[in-house]
Amino acid sequence: MAMDVFGLLGNPVGHSLSPPMHEAAYEELDIDARYVTFEPDPDDLEAAVEGAAALGVTGLNVTIPFKRDALAVVEPDDLADRIGAVNTIDFTGDRPTGHNTDAGGALRALREQSDASLSLEGARAVVVGAGGAGRAIAFGLADADATVDIANRTESKAHDLADEVPNATGHGLDALEELLADADVLVNATSVGMEEDATPVPADALHGDLTVMDAVYRPLETRLLRDAADVGATTVDGAWMLLYQGVEAFERWTGRDAPVDAMNEALRSRL
Ligand code: ATR
Protein backbone atom coordinates (compact mmCIF):
# COMPACT_ATOMS: atom_id res chain seq x y z
CA MET A 1 0.00 0.00 0.00
CA ALA A 2 1.44 3.33 -0.99
CA MET A 3 -0.29 5.36 1.67
CA ASP A 4 0.03 4.42 5.36
CA VAL A 5 -3.19 4.23 7.31
CA PHE A 6 -3.32 4.90 11.05
CA GLY A 7 -6.35 5.35 13.19
CA LEU A 8 -8.26 5.36 16.42
CA LEU A 9 -10.62 2.62 17.57
CA GLY A 10 -13.19 3.82 20.06
CA ASN A 11 -16.86 4.39 20.61
CA PRO A 12 -17.50 7.27 20.55
CA VAL A 13 -14.47 8.94 18.91
CA GLY A 14 -16.12 12.08 17.55
CA HIS A 15 -14.31 14.61 19.73
CA SER A 16 -10.82 13.08 19.38
CA LEU A 17 -7.80 15.35 18.96
CA SER A 18 -5.64 12.48 17.70
CA PRO A 19 -6.38 12.91 13.96
CA PRO A 20 -5.16 16.52 13.71
CA MET A 21 -2.21 15.80 16.02
CA HIS A 22 -0.96 12.83 13.97
CA GLU A 23 -1.74 14.38 10.59
CA ALA A 24 0.34 17.41 11.57
CA ALA A 25 3.26 15.01 12.04
CA TYR A 26 2.74 13.40 8.61
CA GLU A 27 2.63 16.81 7.00
CA GLU A 28 5.73 18.03 8.82
CA LEU A 29 7.78 14.95 7.82
CA ASP A 30 6.22 14.59 4.37
CA ILE A 31 4.83 11.14 5.14
CA ASP A 32 2.03 9.93 2.84
CA ALA A 33 -0.47 8.82 5.48
CA ARG A 34 -3.93 9.34 6.92
CA TYR A 35 -5.20 9.02 10.51
CA VAL A 36 -8.81 7.84 10.53
CA THR A 37 -11.32 7.32 13.35
CA PHE A 38 -13.24 4.03 13.55
CA GLU A 39 -16.26 3.34 15.75
CA PRO A 40 -16.87 -0.39 15.66
CA ASP A 41 -19.70 -1.95 17.60
CA PRO A 42 -18.34 -2.86 21.06
CA ASP A 43 -18.82 -6.56 20.26
CA ASP A 44 -16.77 -6.36 17.07
CA LEU A 45 -13.34 -5.46 18.43
CA GLU A 46 -11.64 -8.68 17.37
CA ALA A 47 -13.09 -8.51 13.87
CA ALA A 48 -12.05 -4.87 13.63
CA VAL A 49 -8.43 -5.64 14.59
CA GLU A 50 -8.26 -8.63 12.24
CA GLY A 51 -9.77 -6.54 9.47
CA ALA A 52 -7.30 -3.73 10.06
CA ALA A 53 -4.41 -6.23 9.90
CA ALA A 54 -5.77 -7.73 6.68
CA LEU A 55 -6.14 -4.28 5.12
CA GLY A 56 -2.55 -3.32 5.90
CA VAL A 57 -3.27 -0.68 8.53
CA THR A 58 0.04 0.33 10.17
CA GLY A 59 -1.11 1.36 13.62
CA LEU A 60 -4.20 1.99 15.73
CA ASN A 61 -4.77 3.86 18.93
CA VAL A 62 -7.40 2.37 21.18
CA THR A 63 -9.71 4.22 23.52
CA ILE A 64 -12.88 3.67 25.53
CA PRO A 65 -14.48 1.12 25.61
CA PHE A 66 -11.80 -1.09 24.01
CA LYS A 67 -8.62 -0.55 26.05
CA ARG A 68 -8.99 -3.56 28.31
CA ASP A 69 -10.58 -5.93 25.77
CA ALA A 70 -7.77 -5.19 23.31
CA LEU A 71 -5.38 -7.12 25.59
CA ALA A 72 -7.03 -10.35 24.48
CA VAL A 73 -6.92 -9.72 20.73
CA VAL A 74 -3.29 -8.61 20.33
CA GLU A 75 0.04 -9.66 21.82
CA PRO A 76 0.46 -7.19 24.71
CA ASP A 77 3.90 -6.13 25.89
CA ASP A 78 4.76 -6.50 29.55
CA LEU A 79 3.77 -2.97 30.58
CA ALA A 80 0.38 -3.06 28.81
CA ASP A 81 -0.23 -6.45 30.35
CA ARG A 82 0.52 -5.18 33.86
CA ILE A 83 -1.55 -2.03 33.40
CA GLY A 84 -4.36 -4.12 31.98
CA ALA A 85 -4.97 -1.78 29.06
CA VAL A 86 -3.77 -1.31 25.47
CA ASN A 87 -3.95 2.14 23.91
CA THR A 88 -1.70 1.48 20.90
CA ILE A 89 -1.65 -1.45 18.45
CA ASP A 90 1.36 -1.92 16.19
CA PHE A 91 0.77 -3.90 12.99
CA THR A 92 4.30 -3.58 11.62
CA GLY A 93 5.53 -6.94 12.94
CA ASP A 94 4.46 -10.51 12.24
CA ARG A 95 1.37 -10.12 14.37
CA PRO A 96 -0.39 -7.18 16.05
CA THR A 97 1.24 -6.15 19.32
CA GLY A 98 -0.34 -4.06 22.09
CA HIS A 99 1.30 -1.24 24.02
CA ASN A 100 0.36 1.43 26.53
CA THR A 101 1.78 4.82 25.66
CA ASP A 102 -0.37 6.54 28.32
CA ALA A 103 2.21 5.42 30.87
CA GLY A 104 5.30 6.32 28.83
CA GLY A 105 3.63 9.51 27.63
CA ALA A 106 2.94 10.69 31.18
CA LEU A 107 6.56 10.03 32.12
CA ARG A 108 7.87 11.82 29.08
CA ALA A 109 5.59 14.78 29.80
CA LEU A 110 7.05 14.96 33.31
CA ARG A 111 10.63 14.54 32.12
CA GLU A 112 10.44 17.07 29.30
CA GLN A 113 8.23 19.70 30.90
CA SER A 114 9.43 19.72 34.49
CA ASP A 115 12.41 21.59 35.81
CA ALA A 116 15.64 19.89 34.68
CA SER A 117 16.51 19.20 38.31
CA LEU A 118 13.65 16.70 38.71
CA SER A 119 14.85 13.11 38.57
CA LEU A 120 12.06 10.56 38.67
CA GLU A 121 14.39 7.87 39.93
CA GLY A 122 13.94 7.85 43.68
CA ALA A 123 11.37 10.67 43.50
CA ARG A 124 8.34 10.62 45.78
CA ALA A 125 5.27 10.76 43.60
CA VAL A 126 1.65 11.15 44.65
CA VAL A 127 -1.02 10.03 42.18
CA VAL A 128 -4.57 11.13 42.92
CA GLY A 129 -7.04 8.73 41.34
CA ALA A 130 -7.09 4.96 40.92
CA GLY A 131 -9.14 4.62 37.72
CA GLY A 132 -7.79 3.83 34.26
CA ALA A 133 -5.60 6.93 34.02
CA GLY A 134 -4.29 6.48 37.56
CA ARG A 135 -3.34 2.86 36.83
CA ALA A 136 -1.28 3.74 33.76
CA ILE A 137 0.46 6.66 35.48
CA ALA A 138 1.20 4.72 38.67
CA PHE A 139 2.77 1.81 36.73
CA GLY A 140 4.76 4.26 34.62
CA LEU A 141 6.13 6.08 37.67
CA ALA A 142 7.02 2.79 39.35
CA ASP A 143 8.86 1.70 36.19
CA ALA A 144 10.86 4.93 36.42
CA ASP A 145 11.82 3.89 39.99
CA ALA A 146 9.77 6.53 41.76
CA THR A 147 8.05 5.76 45.05
CA VAL A 148 4.31 6.00 44.42
CA ASP A 149 1.58 7.01 46.87
CA ILE A 150 -1.88 6.54 45.40
CA ALA A 151 -4.72 8.53 46.98
CA ASN A 152 -8.29 7.87 45.91
CA ARG A 153 -11.75 8.97 47.02
CA THR A 154 -12.72 5.30 47.30
CA GLU A 155 -9.79 4.27 49.44
CA SER A 156 -10.15 0.51 48.82
CA LYS A 157 -9.42 1.07 45.11
CA ALA A 158 -6.17 2.83 46.01
CA HIS A 159 -5.12 -0.14 48.16
CA ASP A 160 -6.05 -2.64 45.42
CA LEU A 161 -3.98 -0.74 42.85
CA ALA A 162 -1.07 -0.28 45.26
CA ASP A 163 -0.99 -4.04 45.77
CA GLU A 164 -0.18 -4.45 42.07
CA VAL A 165 2.27 -1.57 41.59
CA PRO A 166 5.86 -1.97 42.87
CA ASN A 167 6.86 0.50 45.61
CA ALA A 168 3.31 1.82 45.93
CA THR A 169 1.06 2.52 48.91
CA GLY A 170 -2.66 3.25 48.88
CA HIS A 171 -4.45 6.00 50.80
CA GLY A 172 -7.68 7.96 51.06
CA LEU A 173 -7.83 11.60 49.98
CA ASP A 174 -7.53 12.64 53.63
CA ALA A 175 -3.85 11.59 53.55
CA LEU A 176 -2.95 14.10 50.82
CA GLU A 177 -1.77 16.87 53.10
CA GLU A 178 0.73 14.63 54.88
CA LEU A 179 1.86 12.83 51.70
CA LEU A 180 2.47 16.03 49.80
CA ALA A 181 4.65 17.57 52.50
CA ASP A 182 7.58 15.34 51.39
CA ALA A 183 6.55 14.75 47.79
CA ASP A 184 8.40 15.79 44.61
CA VAL A 185 5.66 15.03 42.09
CA LEU A 186 1.86 15.24 42.16
CA VAL A 187 -0.33 13.94 39.34
CA ASN A 188 -4.09 14.42 39.19
CA ALA A 189 -5.53 11.34 37.48
CA THR A 190 -9.12 11.98 38.51
CA SER A 191 -11.73 13.73 36.40
CA VAL A 192 -12.06 16.50 39.01
CA GLY A 193 -11.47 19.85 37.35
CA MET A 194 -12.94 18.83 34.00
CA GLU A 195 -15.57 21.33 32.91
CA GLU A 196 -15.81 22.62 36.51
CA ASP A 197 -13.60 24.81 38.66
CA ALA A 198 -12.82 22.19 41.30
CA THR A 199 -9.70 20.45 42.59
CA PRO A 200 -9.17 17.13 44.40
CA VAL A 201 -6.20 18.58 46.34
CA PRO A 202 -6.45 21.21 49.10
CA ALA A 203 -4.51 24.29 47.97
CA ASP A 204 -2.67 24.60 51.26
CA ALA A 205 -1.15 21.13 50.81
CA LEU A 206 0.83 22.35 47.78
CA HIS A 207 4.34 23.80 47.94
CA GLY A 208 6.95 25.28 45.65
CA ASP A 209 9.20 22.20 45.41
CA LEU A 210 6.47 20.18 43.68
CA THR A 211 6.04 19.39 40.02
CA VAL A 212 2.27 19.19 39.52
CA MET A 213 0.83 17.51 36.43
CA ASP A 214 -2.87 17.34 35.59
CA ALA A 215 -4.36 14.68 33.32
CA VAL A 216 -7.35 16.98 32.76
CA TYR A 217 -6.90 19.05 29.57
CA ARG A 218 -10.33 20.68 29.32
CA PRO A 219 -9.77 23.29 30.58
CA LEU A 220 -5.99 23.47 30.21
CA GLU A 221 -5.71 25.74 33.23
CA THR A 222 -7.37 23.76 35.97
CA ARG A 223 -7.88 25.03 39.46
CA LEU A 224 -5.21 22.57 40.66
CA LEU A 225 -2.63 23.99 38.25
CA ARG A 226 -3.54 27.57 39.19
CA ASP A 227 -3.18 26.74 42.89
CA ALA A 228 0.15 25.06 42.13
CA ALA A 229 1.45 28.05 40.17
CA ASP A 230 0.39 30.34 43.03
CA VAL A 231 2.79 28.59 45.43
CA GLY A 232 5.62 28.52 42.87
CA ALA A 233 5.33 24.84 41.89
CA THR A 234 6.27 23.69 38.38
CA THR A 235 3.11 22.90 36.41
CA VAL A 236 2.57 20.46 33.52
CA ASP A 237 -0.85 20.66 31.90
CA GLY A 238 -2.88 17.75 30.53
CA ALA A 239 -2.19 18.56 26.90
CA TRP A 240 1.43 17.46 27.45
CA MET A 241 0.27 13.98 28.49
CA LEU A 242 -2.04 13.78 25.50
CA LEU A 243 0.76 14.98 23.23
CA TYR A 244 3.40 12.56 24.44
CA GLN A 245 1.14 9.48 24.35
CA GLY A 246 0.67 10.36 20.67
CA VAL A 247 4.37 11.05 20.19
CA GLU A 248 5.26 7.65 21.66
CA ALA A 249 2.70 5.89 19.42
CA PHE A 250 3.97 7.74 16.33
CA GLU A 251 7.58 6.79 17.08
CA ARG A 252 6.69 3.15 17.65
CA TRP A 253 4.77 2.90 14.37
CA THR A 254 7.17 4.82 12.17
CA GLY A 255 10.56 4.28 13.84
CA ARG A 256 11.19 8.01 13.41
CA ASP A 257 11.55 10.85 15.89
CA ALA A 258 8.21 12.61 16.13
CA PRO A 259 8.00 16.30 15.15
CA VAL A 260 6.90 17.20 18.66
CA ASP A 261 6.50 20.94 18.08
CA ALA A 262 4.23 20.50 15.08
CA MET A 263 2.09 17.96 16.92
CA ASN A 264 1.93 20.20 19.99
CA GLU A 265 0.84 23.18 17.92
CA ALA A 266 -1.90 21.17 16.17
CA LEU A 267 -3.17 19.97 19.52
CA ARG A 268 -3.05 23.24 21.42
CA SER A 269 -4.66 25.23 18.63
CA ARG A 270 -7.73 23.03 19.11
CA LEU A 271 -7.95 23.25 22.89
P1 ATR B 1 -10.26 7.34 34.03
O1 ATR B 1 -10.20 6.21 33.07
O2 ATR B 1 -10.27 8.70 33.38
O3 ATR B 1 -9.23 7.24 35.10
P2 ATR B 1 -12.25 6.31 35.82
O4 ATR B 1 -11.62 4.97 35.65
O5 ATR B 1 -13.72 6.44 35.79
O6 ATR B 1 -11.71 7.30 34.71
O7 ATR B 1 -11.68 6.95 37.18
C1 ATR B 1 -12.10 8.18 37.64
C2 ATR B 1 -11.25 8.57 38.83
O8 ATR B 1 -11.64 9.88 39.27
C3 ATR B 1 -11.43 7.66 40.05
O9 ATR B 1 -10.22 7.62 40.75
C4 ATR B 1 -12.51 8.40 40.84
O10 ATR B 1 -12.54 8.10 42.21
P3 ATR B 1 -13.44 6.86 42.75
O11 ATR B 1 -12.63 5.62 42.48
O12 ATR B 1 -13.61 7.12 44.19
O13 ATR B 1 -14.72 6.90 41.98
C5 ATR B 1 -12.07 9.81 40.63
N1 ATR B 1 -13.14 10.79 40.84
C6 ATR B 1 -14.19 11.06 40.03
N2 ATR B 1 -14.95 12.03 40.56
C7 ATR B 1 -14.36 12.40 41.74
C8 ATR B 1 -14.66 13.37 42.75
N3 ATR B 1 -15.73 14.18 42.64
N4 ATR B 1 -13.83 13.47 43.82
C9 ATR B 1 -12.74 12.67 43.92
N5 ATR B 1 -12.41 11.73 43.00
C10 ATR B 1 -13.20 11.60 41.93
Side-chain angles (χ1 to χ4, degrees), residues 129-134 152-154 157 173 189-192 200:
N152 196 51
R153 175 178 62 180
T154 310
K157 282 172 65 182
L173 293 181
T190 73
S191 47
V192 180

Side-chain angles (χ1 to χ4, degrees), residues 10-25:
N11 201 336
V13 292
H15 54 280
S16 175
L17 294 164
S18 290
M21 176 169 65
H22 283 277
E23 294 206 328

Side-chain angles (χ1 to χ4, degrees), residues 64 67 128-135 151-155 157-158 173 188-192 194 196 199-200:
I64 291 165
K67 282 185 170 185
V128 189
R135 277 188 77 82
N152 196 51
R153 175 178 62 180
T154 310
E155 188 173 343
K157 282 172 65 182
L173 293 181
N188 174 36
T190 73
S191 47
V192 180
M194 207 183 288
E196 41 155 14
T199 173

